[in-house]
Amino acid sequence: MAAQGVHSCEFEVFGRVHGVNFRRHTLRKAKILGLRGWCMNSGRGTVKGYIEGRPAEMDVMKEWLRTTGSPLSSIEKVEFSSQRERDRYGYANFHIKPDPHERRPVYERLGSSSSHNDSH
């Protein structure tokens, strides 16, 4: 399905953005604006992400990432890739990707690839 006027870009936010609910607030703002994509913590202490949607809403999100963020965050700078026009949306919604550096409980790590069948 072609989506008219869909643009996308990647971003990376520098500053105090880990441990201050930055990703959760980014998710909330993206959903309010009707944007799609993802965000995640990086191993460099930044938050990286990808947004797609209409240019006007993307501009609002970019300004929010530059100036607002979460209440406890301290944004030093934000880098954006070039904004590109797309034929269609690549994501159904906006979501937070798991932090690859975050330790998950043992039961999640051990049970994630096995299937369970509780029927008798």
Side-chain angles (χ1 to χ4, degrees):
M1 167 174 131
Q4 201 169 24
V6 175
H7 289 238
S8 68
C9 76
E10 295 177 22
F11 65 86
E12 185 169 12
V13 185
F14 298 80
R16 191 177 72 222
V17 292
H18 282 202
V20 292
N21 291 314
F22 195 91
R23 294 173 299 162
R24 186 171 297 137
H25 284 270
T26 301
L27 170 71
R28 187 175 299 138
K29 186 66 173 179
K31 286 189 173 194
I32 288 169
L33 293 171
L35 298 174
R36 302 178 188 190
W38 54 267
C39 67
M40 67 181 286
N41 283 340
S42 76
R44 302 179 346 155
T46 64
V47 170
K48 290 183 168 191
Y50 169 87
I51 50 176
E52 56 184 26
R54 296 187 326 208
E57 285 78 9
M58 297 235 345
D59 289 344
V60 171
M61 186 68 177
K62 286 178 175 182
E63 184 64 18
W64 183 89
L65 288 166
R66 279 188 204 99
T67 62
T68 306
S70 66
L72 297 175
S73 66
S74 177
I75 301 163
E76 292 175 9
K77 70 174 181 172
V78 184
E79 294 179 354
F80 295 99
S81 68
S82 298
Q83 193 163 306
R84 295 183 166 159
E85 191 165 5
R86 300 181 52 85
D87 292 336
R88 64 183 55 89
Y89 283 104
Y91 291 88
N93 57 28
F94 194 92
H95 64 280
I96 297 172
K97 284 189 174 185
D99 184 348
H101 308 287
E102 193 172 67
R103 289 194 47 88
R104 296 185 323 215
V106 172
Y107 64 87
E108 285 184 17
R109 285 181 276 154
L110 295 176
S112 62
S113 63
S114 62
S115 62
H116 298 285
N117 186 350
D118 291 334
S119 61
H120 297 273

